[in-house]
């Protein structure tokens, strides 16, 4: 499923991917297409791609204990210079904003190898907001571009 | 992602091209491990062709740096594209790696 549309000074896109790691390639392709249409710079495209990879791969790897097919909904909108991304999944409750952020001042020897994904999201995006509604995790990310 | 390596003076230069992400970081990690297993401990990662990295890829850079330090070796990075350098800056990686503008500067250091 794939939907791009544009209204006066508001652009929107929406797509759904399944909870399989192979779907990340589909996600990357969609983001490439979208950022080209929306005329994003190369660094911004990379950052948006990165943020979505971090969120969606967390969902794919950790949100489900069953083996069923699940849908991850991704919506993007651009109004004036505010980009809003909303990612919705029906996995177990997970609030990424409650995660402890890594200490980036540690020496290489002392730095833990994990925990960077959520940190990068929080640095790249201007605002990160999580809510749990019924059986859904809804993560809203905003960035002024 | 495409990985090739070559010997330049004492250094083993690993050319990293394309994307390093969740779907392929393990391939990158095993390639780096192979270099260590072959006895290489003076490494340059030439990132001129690296155009995307996520936390999975950064993780491999950090593991390589830890390994190099434990061997008293060298791991230099060069030719980072601006978008990649920005990710290294915000994740604090710019301070834990020696980053050079060009490969020649890394080799000559």
């Amino acid at each position: 499923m794939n939907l791009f549309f544009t209204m006066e000074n508001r652009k929107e896109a929406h797509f759904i991917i399944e909870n399989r790691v192979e779907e990340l390639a589909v996600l990357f392709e969609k983001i490439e297409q979208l950022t080209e249409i929306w005329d994003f710079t190369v660094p911004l495209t990379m950052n948006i791609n990165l943020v979505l990879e971090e969120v969606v791969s967390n969902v794919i790897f950790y949100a489900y204990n069953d083996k069923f097919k699940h849908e991850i909904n991704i919506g993007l909108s651009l109004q004036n210079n505010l980009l809003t991304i909303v990612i919705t999944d029906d996995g177990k409750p997970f609030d990424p904003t409650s995660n402890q952020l890594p200490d980036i001042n540690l020496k290489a020897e002392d730095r833990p190898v994990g925990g960077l994904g959520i940190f990068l999201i929080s640095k790249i995006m201007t605002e990160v907001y999580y809510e749990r509604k019924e059986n859904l995790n809804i993560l809203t990310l905003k960035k002024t571009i | 992602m495409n990985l090739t390596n070559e010997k330049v003076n004492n250094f083993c230069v690993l050319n990293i091209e394309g994307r390093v992400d969740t779907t392929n970081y393990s391939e990158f990690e095993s390639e780096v491990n192979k270099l260590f297993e072959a006895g290489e401990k003076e490494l340059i990662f030439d990132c001129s062709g690296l155009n995307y990295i996520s936390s999975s890829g950064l993780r491999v850079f950090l593991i390589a740096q830890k390994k190099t330090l434990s061997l008293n070796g060298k791991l230099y990075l060069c030719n980072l594209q601006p978008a990649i350098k920005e990710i290294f800056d915000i994740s604090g990686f710019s301070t834990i790696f020696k980053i050079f503008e060009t490969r020649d500067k890394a080799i000559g250091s």
Side-chain angles (χ1 to χ4, degrees):
Chain A
M1 182 169 167
N2 186 7
L3 186 63
F4 294 175
F5 64 93
T6 305
M7 288 175 288
E8 210 176 324
N9 77 32
R10 183 179 169 90
K11 295 170 179 170
E12 288 194 17
H14 177 234
F15 42 88
I16 295 172
I17 64 163
E18 286 172 30
N19 59 321
R20 295 182 294 124
V21 70
E22 296 78 13
E23 290 274 294
L24 285 170
V26 178
L27 174 69
F28 299 150
E29 202 179 304
K30 298 256 186 243
I31 297 302
E32 289 293 329
Q33 284 173 6
L34 181 70
T35 52
E36 205 177 309
I37 295 169
W38 288 3
D39 205 20
F40 284 4
T41 62
V42 171
L44 180 62
T45 299
M46 195 194 118
N47 284 346
I48 298 310
N49 207 324
L50 188 154
V51 163
L52 280 165
E53 179 188 329
E54 303 297 346
V55 176
V56 172
S57 62
N58 264 344
V59 174
I60 291 172
F61 293 122
Y62 306 116
Y64 302 104
N65 295 322
D66 60 43
K67 289 187 174 142
F68 298 114
K69 194 163 95 177
H70 294 270
E71 286 183 343
I72 304 164
N73 273 272
I74 299 159
L76 296 100
S77 70
L78 181 65
Q79 188 156 25
N80 300 321
N81 61 346
L82 181 67
L83 173 69
T84 305
I85 305 174
V86 182
I87 301 141
T88 309
D89 68 80
D90 63 349
K92 59 186 175 195
F94 175 62
D95 177 2
T97 62
S98 68
N99 254 42
Q100 205 186 351
L101 297 177
D103 180 354
I104 62 160
N105 297 312
L106 292 176
K107 288 189 294 180
E109 297 92 318
D110 302 327
R111 278 199 66 164
V113 289
L116 255 181
I118 290 165
F119 177 75
L120 287 172
I121 296 166
S122 71
K123 294 300 260 188
I124 291 168
M125 303 307 287
T126 320
E127 203 181 310
V128 181
Y129 177 69
Y130 169 81
E131 62 184 317
R132 179 81 182 174
K133 254 190 199 163
E134 293 170 3
N135 66 331
L136 298 175
N137 292 307
I138 305 168
L139 189 66
T140 305
L141 310 164
K142 291 178 190 271
K143 185 174 177 67
T144 312
I145 60 171
Chain B
M1 181 183 64
N2 187 36
L3 302 168
T4 52
N5 67 73
E6 58 194 299
K7 201 83 183 172
V8 183
N9 300 343
N10 290 332
F11 286 100
C12 175
V13 181
L14 181 66
N15 299 298
I16 307 163
E17 291 169 293
R19 303 173 57 99
V20 183
D21 60 32
T22 311
T23 64
N24 62 17
Y25 74 95
S26 56
E27 208 182 305
F28 175 37
E29 188 170 3
S30 65
E31 189 65 29
V32 172
N33 282 335
K34 268 188 220 159
L35 299 179
F36 286 123
E37 280 158 23
E40 301 292 352
K41 52 181 189 175
E42 299 198 350
L43 300 168
I44 294 174
F45 288 177
D46 188 330
C47 302
S48 49
L50 177 67
N51 54 29
Y52 177 85
I53 192 161
S54 66
S55 66
S56 309
L58 289 171
R59 191 180 152 275
V60 180
F61 274 78
L62 179 59
I63 291 170
Q65 179 67 311
K66 283 173 183 280
K67 179 77 178 168
T68 307
L69 290 167
S70 74
L71 295 169
N72 275 323
K74 291 175 184 167
L75 171 57
Y76 297 160
L77 312 183
C78 66
N79 290 325
L80 271 67
Q81 293 180 15
I84 303 289
K85 178 67 169 58
E86 191 188 321
I87 297 300
F88 271 72
D89 287 343
I90 58 183
S91 52
F93 274 35
S94 295
T95 57
I96 59 177
F97 288 94
K98 282 198 172 169
I99 302 176
F100 295 88
E101 279 168 31
T102 64
R103 182 194 284 213
D104 285 348
K105 283 186 182 168
I107 291 166
S109 69

